[in-house]
Amino acid sequence: MKILFVAAGSPATVFALTPLATAARNAGHQVIMAANDDMMPVVASMALPGVPTTDLPIRHFITTDRHGKPLDIPADPLEQAHFTGAWFARMALAGLDRLTALAEQWRPDVVVGGTLSYVAPLLAARLGVPHVRQTWDGVDSDEIHRGAEAELVSDLPDFGLDGLSTPDLLIDICPPSLRPADAAPALPMRHVSVTRQSGRLEPWMYTRGDRPRILVTSGSRVAKDSYDHNFEFLRTLAGDLAGWDAELVVAAPEAVAEALRPELPGVRLGWLPLDVVAPTCDLFVHHAGGVSTLTGLTAGVPQLLIPKGAVLCTPAQRVADQGAAVTLLPGEDTPAAVTEACHTLLEQPSYRTRAGELAAEVAGMPSPADLVPALERLLRD
C-alpha cells in the first residue's frame, strides 16, 4: 500500500505524524511525507522520504492573502480561529499542484493529513482515495475548520465538494480525559514524543541534578524576528527564571539560542532531544503549544501553560482543570503570577501526581503500530 502523509510548515506538524508514518513503513507499506519545502530537512531527520508542497514558508500564508495583500492577526478569539483556518487553506491550495503531479507518478492508496493539512482532503477527493485525518495535538479545531471552509468556498466545487469533507477515518492523539464531550468519533492513538536529534546525548540530558529542573520553551517555530512575539515571550520567561535556585533548561532552535546565550550565562540552551530531557524535568513552562503540551503530559511533568494564541486557551484550561497544570490566560501572565504559579507547581505534589496519572493514560492508549491495520482496512473496504 502507498500512503502519503501530509504535514505542514512547522517542525511540530512533522513530529506529530512521524510515529504513524514510521509504523506504516515498518509494516511494509510505502510511505512519503509531504510538507513545505523548508521542512524537508526536518522530514529527512525523521528518516522519512519527503516531497515539498510549496517553496513558500508558513509565514507567507499567515501575513499575506491570495492577492499579496498584507494581513494582521486579529485579536478576537473567534476571528483568530477563522483567520488560522484561512491561512492554512491558502497554504493547502499552494501545495495542491505539486501533490497532484506526484500522484500522477506515485499514486497514493490513502492520504493521511494532519489536523489542518487541508490539501489532504482536496487531493483525496481529486484522486478518489480515502482521506485520514490524524490530529497533531489536543487543540480544538472546529472553528478553524470553518475558517478554512470559508476561504475555500469558491474552490470546493472543483473537487466535487460543497464543504470540507469528513475524513474517512479520524485518529486522535489527545488523551480521552482531555477530549471535549462533543468531539467527533475517533480512533485513539498514543502520542509518541519525537524530535529532530542534533547530536550525541550528554549525561545531563537523561539524569536529574540536585536542584529542580525547569524547562522553558516557546515551540519549534520561534525565531528572533517572530511576528507572533514568541521570541520576546521566551526571552522574558527565561530571564525571569534564570535567577532562581533551579536548573534552567531552555529548548529553542539554534538561531534563537545563539541570540539568547549572552543574556543567559550558565543556562542549558539550544535545540534539545525533548523526548529524552522531558522525563527528567520538574516543571514545563511554555506557550501552550499542542505538541509541547502533549510532550509534557507524556512525560508526566506539571506544566505552566501561558497560551500564545486564542485557539490554545481552551485546551490549556482543560489540562489545568484536570489538575496537571496551571494556566494563565492572556492578561493574567504578570511576572508575579508566573512566579507564584511556578512555586505552586513545584511545591504542591498533587500536580505531579495528576500529571503522572495522565501520563499513564497516554501510555495505555493504542500505539501507532496498532493503528496501521485501520489504514489497511480502509483500502480493503
Side-chain angles (χ1 to χ4, degrees), residues 233 236-237 240 305-308 328-338:
F233 168 77
T236 300
L237 270 182
D240 289 346
L305 304 176
I306 307 173
K308 304 306 288 181
L328 297 177
L329 298 174
E332 298 177 347
D333 55 334
T334 63
V338 169

Side-chain angles (χ1 to χ4, degrees), residues 53 161 287 289:
T53 53
L161 303 173
H287 63 309

Side-chain angles (χ1 to χ4, degrees), residues 234-250:
L234 179 67
R235 183 182 192 177
T236 300
L237 270 182
D240 289 346
L241 294 172
W244 282 43
D245 183 19
E247 180 188 1
L248 181 63
V249 178
V250 179

Side-chain angles (χ1 to χ4, degrees), residues 136-151:
W136 291 325
D137 47 42
V139 175
D140 299 329
S141 301
D142 286 351
E143 292 299 336
I144 299 176
H145 294 330
R146 291 187 180 96
E149 194 168 79
E151 178 73 18

Side-chain angles (χ1 to χ4, degrees), residues 81-355:
H82 293 167
F83 179 88
T84 299
W87 68 255
F88 266 104
R90 292 192 292 273
M91 190 161 63
L93 292 175
L96 186 61
D97 287 346
R98 285 189 178 179
L99 292 188
T100 300
L102 168 71
E104 291 173 355
Q105 298 177 313
W106 191 89
R107 182 182 175 87
D109 299 299
V110 177
V111 180
V112 181
T115 306
L116 309 180
S117 298
Y118 298 115
V119 70
L122 298 182
L123 181 67
R126 174 171 285 179
L127 300 178
V129 301
H131 163 229
V132 177
R133 178 182 295 149
Q134 186 219 293
T135 63
W136 291 325
D137 47 42
V139 175
D140 299 329
S141 301
D142 286 351
E143 292 299 336
I144 299 176
H145 294 330
R146 291 187 180 96
E149 194 168 79
E151 178 73 18
L152 296 170
V153 66
S154 63
D155 304 285
L156 292 171
D158 295 340
F159 302 89
L161 303 173
D162 56 9
L164 281 175
S165 58
T166 301
D168 296 285
L169 175 65
L170 175 61
I171 298 173
D172 196 352
I173 64 174
C174 182
S177 64
L178 295 175
R179 292 193 88 216
D182 59 350
L187 293 182
M189 186 180 80
R190 180 191 317 154
H191 168 73
V192 178
S193 297
V194 298
T195 188
R196 186 177 185 176
Q197 303 298 321
S198 57
R200 65 184 182 183
L201 294 179
E202 299 176 22
W204 73 264
M205 296 176 178
Y206 49 82
T207 57
R208 288 178 175 271
D210 297 329
R211 297 182 298 165
R213 177 174 287 176
I214 302 175
L215 186 141
V216 176
T217 187
S218 192
S220 60
R221 192 159 51 88
V222 64
K224 189 175 179 181
D225 59 345
S226 288
Y227 45 90
D228 52 8
H229 308 298
N230 272 0
F231 175 78
E232 285 304 322
F233 168 77
L234 179 67
R235 183 182 192 177
T236 300
L237 270 182
D240 289 346
L241 294 172
W244 282 43
D245 183 19
E247 180 188 1
L248 181 63
V249 178
V250 179
E254 281 304 318
V256 170
E258 190 67 25
L260 292 178
R261 283 192 180 104
E263 305 174 24
L264 300 169
V267 172
R268 301 191 189 278
L269 178 62
W271 186 266
L272 304 174
L274 285 188
D275 51 332
V276 176
V277 175
T280 72
C281 295
D282 298 284
L283 176 62
F284 264 28
V285 182
H286 62 89
H287 63 309
V291 174
S292 297
T293 301
L294 278 175
T295 298
L297 288 172
T298 301
V301 180
Q303 302 183 64
L304 172 55
L305 304 176
I306 307 173
K308 304 306 288 181
V311 298
L312 303 177
C313 292
T314 298
Q317 189 58 52
R318 198 173 289 129
V319 180
D321 291 343
Q322 288 287 326
V326 171
T327 294
L328 297 177
L329 298 174
E332 298 177 347
D333 55 334
T334 63
V338 169
T339 297
E340 180 181 359
C342 287
H343 279 298
T344 297
L345 289 160
L346 288 169
E347 296 166 6
Q348 293 189 14
S350 63
Y351 288 99
R352 178 162 285 277
T353 298
R354 185 60 185 133

